[in-house]
Amino acid sequence: MRFDILTLFPELIDNVLGESIIGRAQRAQIISVFTHNIRDYTTNKHKKVDDAPYGGGKGMLMATQPICDCFDAVKAMQGEGKTRVIYMSPRGRIFNHSIAKELSEYDNLTILCGHYEGIDQRVIDEIVDEEISIGDYVLTGGELPACIVVDAVSRLIDGVLSDEACHEDESIASGLLEYPQYTRPPVFRGKGVPEVLLSGHHQNIDEWRLERSLELTKERRPDLYDAYIEAHPPKPEKKKRAKRITND
Ligand code: 4GX
């Protein structure tokens, strides 16, 4: 999978995505991330990329010409395949695991990062397929949101995670929050580890983990809990028990 990121701060993105698992995936050529400095595409001699908004108001907007010329150059560099252009913006659809899965099906993802008060609406209308938000707060630019999208999408691509790490995906992907986990030592500052986890009884461990996941999700994310219960209706086992009681 190929990512192209259009930004005024390419180094910020190169630094974030050059580390750890995503950095390794790039070096292994499982994914590639190309950053493009929009400023390199200015045609004016002062390399100016912003301008005042028509109609007045505070702040500056990113101008049309450098972004669109940068975008045309990027399009010419990309290979064949399914392509999507995303603009990171608080106006967008709120990013989640299911959107990450959707995006992981593309061959080329182009992400446009805005700075200042945003970009000229005609650029969005002309080149952007979809606006995506990483949450209801305002940042100084779209660079960190772009890194978040690249990270969440990349870890869904075959070969990016190790085989063991792949199983961790079952938490939020399953619709539930993850159960608590423990590692050595067995007693830390007077606190032990839940007995069942030391028992080696895998069925009991699985049951304990599911119970903790359900409990945590119900308490902290009732929205996710209700959706989970809707998708996993309680087994008809309960009816049997009720019948037995009445027969007794
Ligand atoms: N999730 N930002 C975009 C520029 C901007 C300003 C106004 C459109 C309208 C953000 C977020 C985010 C900061 C990126 C403002 N664009 N991006 N930028 N939350 O806060 O994605």
Side-chain angles (χ1 to χ4, degrees):
M1 173 150 200
R2 173 181 173 125
F3 298 90
D4 287 282
I5 306 179
L6 284 59
T7 170
L8 292 173
F9 301 93
E11 286 178 358
L12 193 160
I13 288 160
D14 294 340
N15 287 329
V16 172
L17 299 178
E19 296 282 344
S20 182
I21 294 168
I22 305 302
R24 191 191 58 198
Q26 286 196 68
R27 292 189 292 275
Q29 296 181 23
I30 301 162
I31 60 165
S32 38
V33 181
F34 295 100
T35 51
H36 308 273
N37 193 338
I38 294 167
R39 199 178 295 278
D40 292 344
Y41 294 85
T42 51
T43 48
N44 66 79
K45 65 171 179 257
H46 302 293
K47 297 199 170 184
K48 191 173 142 72
V49 291
D50 61 343
D51 215 332
Y54 280 126
K58 61 172 174 61
M60 299 290 268
L61 291 179
M62 285 169 73
T64 55
Q65 177 273 317
I67 298 174
C68 289
D69 286 356
C70 181
F71 179 71
D72 289 342
V74 166
K75 254 197 319 193
M77 293 175 208
Q78 287 173 342
E80 295 292 289
K82 245 180 123 190
T83 294
R84 194 156 182 85
V85 182
I86 291 159
Y87 177 54
M88 302 312 307
S89 154
R91 287 177 188 157
R93 179 159 69 125
I94 302 214
F95 192 58
N96 60 22
H97 186 77
S98 117
I99 298 176
K101 262 212 302 238
E102 235 174 75
L103 296 180
S104 70
E105 306 293 325
Y106 287 87
D107 302 299
N108 299 290
L109 274 191
T110 303
I111 308 180
L112 175 57
C113 304
H115 240 85
Y116 315 119
E117 303 309 310
I119 68 181
D120 188 298
Q121 184 61 38
R122 291 166 296 181
V123 174
I124 299 175
D125 297 341
E126 180 109 353
I127 71 174
V128 171
D129 294 315
E130 181 180 21
E131 294 182 56
I132 290 179
S133 168
I134 62 157
D136 292 337
Y137 36 79
V138 182
L139 301 164
T140 55
E143 283 75 16
L144 292 172
C147 290
I148 283 166
V149 169
V150 172
D151 187 291
V153 170
S154 294
R155 65 186 288 294
L156 299 178
I157 291 166
D158 267 354
V160 171
L161 294 184
S162 63
D163 286 346
E164 314 107 73
C166 285
H167 295 288
E168 283 173 28
D169 216 354
E170 307 312 325
S171 58
I172 198 80
S174 74
L176 292 176
L177 302 182
E178 201 176 5
Y179 46 81
Q181 302 231 65
Y182 303 85
T183 183
R184 289 190 299 174
V187 180
F188 176 69
R189 297 190 176 171
K191 285 190 159 83
V193 170
E195 218 31 72
V196 63
L197 300 180
L198 309 174
S199 69
H201 191 304
H202 293 294
Q203 195 189 329
N204 286 354
I205 292 171
D206 288 347
E207 278 171 19
W208 182 88
R209 286 176 167 170
L210 180 59
E211 280 165 22
R212 296 291 80 71
S213 280
L214 286 165
E215 192 176 73
L216 262 178
T217 310
K218 190 173 185 182
E219 181 185 309
R220 296 191 190 176
R221 293 292 306 274
D223 58 323
L224 292 182
Y225 183 77
D226 291 345
Y228 182 86
I229 295 300
E230 186 95 355
H232 304 78
K235 304 237 164 70
E237 210 182 304
K238 273 184 189 161
K239 264 189 196 161
K240 259 190 203 163
R241 200 174 280 166
K243 233 182 205 169
R244 216 189 306 144
I245 291 162
T246 47
N247 288 347
D248 288 344

